[in-house]
């Protein structure tokens, strides 16, 4: 029968033995790791349009539109070499207009919808010409663009609106301009128009937007 001392010694020995650590559970996958990475690409209208400036990419895209679903089909329909077709397909995929799914190659029409929506949203507001009248603004938007005369209207009332606008935007009231300066300023307006600066100058004088005396022109202060 063991004594109290031997029992105590056995208990001490058991206490000194290292205990095996409990097996740890594998770490739970985080939500960030398990969720698929979301790929967001900016809408590049110029880049997408530029794709079709190269013939091989246009031919490959057309082949996919018409039903080609593999590289072999594309090369057969386009007459391109496998290398040319592969390079073109890579660029089309990079731009997001063609993708390859379970059924093979296909056009990503949603990409074109995004491009159209982006183009509409980025369309600049209509230019204001400061006339204070919507009808005059409509006339000026039609016949004047980016500080240039597109053409003179055939209708006399519209022609008056355009000529007055040119006079007000070109010449300060009461300031005298030599004919050479007047010609230079009006020539800039007529650079892309089917009318020359001499015709515009004659109109401005006849309509009293400019007064001429001994080769010097002045816009009357009353016209301001």
């Amino acid at each position: 029968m063991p004594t109290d001392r031997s029992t105590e010694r056995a208990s001490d020995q058991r206490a000194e033995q290292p205990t095996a650590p409990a097996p740890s559970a594998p770490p739970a996958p985080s939500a960030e790791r398990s969720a698929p990475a979301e790929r967001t690409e900016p809408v590049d209208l110029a880049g997408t349009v530029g794709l079709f400036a190269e013939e091989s990419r246009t031919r490959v895209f057309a082949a996919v539109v018409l039903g080609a679903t593999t590289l072999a089909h594309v090369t057969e329909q386009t007459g391109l070499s496998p290398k040319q077709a592969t390079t073109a397909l890579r660029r089309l995929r990079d731009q997001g207009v063609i993708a390859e799914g379970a059924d093979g190659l296909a056009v990503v029409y949603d990409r074109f919808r995004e491009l159209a929506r982006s183009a509409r949203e980025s369309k600049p507001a209509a230019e204001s010409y400061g006339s204070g009248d919507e009808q005059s603004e409509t006339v000026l938007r039609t016949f004047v663009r980016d500080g240039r005369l597109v053409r003179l209207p055939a209708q006399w009332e519209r022609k008056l609106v355009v000529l007055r606008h040119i006079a007000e935007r070109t010449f300060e009231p009461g300031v005298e301009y030599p004919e050479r300066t007047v010609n230079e300023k009006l020539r800039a307006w007529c650079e892309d128009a089917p009318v020359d600066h001499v015709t515009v100058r004659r109109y401005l004088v006849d309509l009293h937007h400019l007064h001429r005396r001994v080769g010097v022109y002045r816009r009357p202060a009353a016209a301001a």
Side-chain angles (χ1 to χ4, degrees), residues 96-111:
V97 298
I98 282 181
E100 187 168 8
D103 297 328
L105 299 171
V107 175
V108 184
Y109 290 103
D110 284 344
R111 184 64 171 173

Side-chain angles (χ1 to χ4, degrees), residues 20-199:
S24 58
S30 63
E32 182 180 355
R33 185 181 301 174
S34 59
E38 183 177 346
R39 185 180 179 183
T40 304
E41 297 180 355
V43 175
D44 182 6
L45 181 58
T48 303
V49 173
L51 281 175
F52 302 102
E54 208 281 320
E55 182 183 355
S56 64
R57 293 193 290 264
T58 303
R59 290 163 66 178
V60 168
F61 181 79
V64 176
V65 169
L66 295 175
T69 57
T70 66
L71 177 62
H73 292 160
V74 169
T75 56
E76 181 181 352
Q77 292 188 21
T78 60
L80 298 172
S81 69
K83 181 178 179 180
Q84 290 174 315
T86 299
T87 302
L89 277 172
R90 184 183 303 115
R91 289 286 290 112
L92 292 167
R93 285 199 197 98
D94 290 345
Q95 200 65 32
V97 298
I98 282 181
E100 187 168 8
D103 297 328
L105 299 171
V107 175
V108 184
Y109 290 103
D110 284 344
R111 184 64 171 173
F112 291 97
R113 296 187 186 98
E114 291 176 8
L115 292 169
R117 182 168 58 251
S118 177
R120 288 194 300 267
E121 292 173 353
S122 62
K123 184 178 180 180
E127 183 178 357
S128 174
Y129 294 85
S131 66
D133 176 70
E134 185 57 36
Q135 186 173 0
S136 297
E137 290 288 309
T138 301
V139 172
L140 293 172
R141 290 189 192 109
T142 303
F143 297 98
V144 176
R145 293 176 191 167
D146 300 325
R148 296 289 186 272
L149 179 64
V150 177
R151 66 183 186 278
L152 278 177
Q155 187 177 348
W156 182 245
E157 289 78 6
R158 295 181 177 182
K159 187 176 295 183
L160 295 177
V161 172
V162 173
L163 291 168
R164 178 177 179 178
H165 175 78
I166 292 175
E168 292 177 346
R169 291 299 179 94
T170 310
F171 305 103
E172 292 292 333
V175 177
E176 293 185 342
Y177 298 89
E179 184 167 283
R180 182 177 62 183
T181 302
V182 172
N183 288 340
E184 290 175 355
K185 290 179 175 293
L186 295 181
R187 191 178 289 113
W189 280 95
C190 301
E191 184 176 342
D192 300 318
V195 59
D196 58 30
H197 67 283
V198 176
T199 301

